Amino acid sequence: MDKRFVQAHREARWSFWLAVAYLITWSLMAWLPDDKQGITGLPHWFEMACLLVPALFILLCWLMVRLVFRDIPLEDEK
């Protein structure tokens, strides 16, 4: 199998599972924390789901692009 397809499949798997992890984490942080006021004055669940989780996953996306994704030529070699 062409190495380009192996790399593209690897990148797609990582992206899919990171998206699934984001949805699960966001759902848990939106439903599990209490309604008490957090350090920003917003409800604790909002701080977790809408401030902390996106910041964490932006960092994880950056790491995934730096460590997993590779620059590969898309043209056929003839």
Side-chain angles (χ1 to χ4, degrees):
M1 180 177 272
D2 193 352
K3 290 182 181 181
R4 296 176 299 163
F5 297 119
V6 173
Q7 180 63 27
H9 186 70
R10 179 176 179 234
E11 292 173 5
R13 261 194 330 253
W14 273 88
S15 299
F16 175 77
W17 288 114
L18 189 66
V20 169
Y22 178 78
L23 289 172
I24 292 170
T25 306
W26 183 87
S27 297
L28 289 173
M29 292 301 115
W31 291 103
L32 291 181
D34 51 11
D35 284 340
K36 293 180 184 175
Q37 188 175 9
I39 60 172
T40 62
L42 298 167
H44 192 238
W45 66 267
F46 184 84
E47 287 180 344
M48 298 294 284
C50 297
L51 299 177
L52 181 65
V53 170
L56 173 67
F57 275 86
I58 287 171
L59 176 67
L60 290 176
C61 286
W62 179 79
L63 284 171
M64 182 178 69
V65 168
R66 298 282 294 171
L67 300 175
V68 176
F69 283 38
R70 297 287 176 248
D71 190 19
I72 57 175
L74 299 177
E75 295 85 22
D76 285 332
E77 297 175 7
K78 293 184 180 185

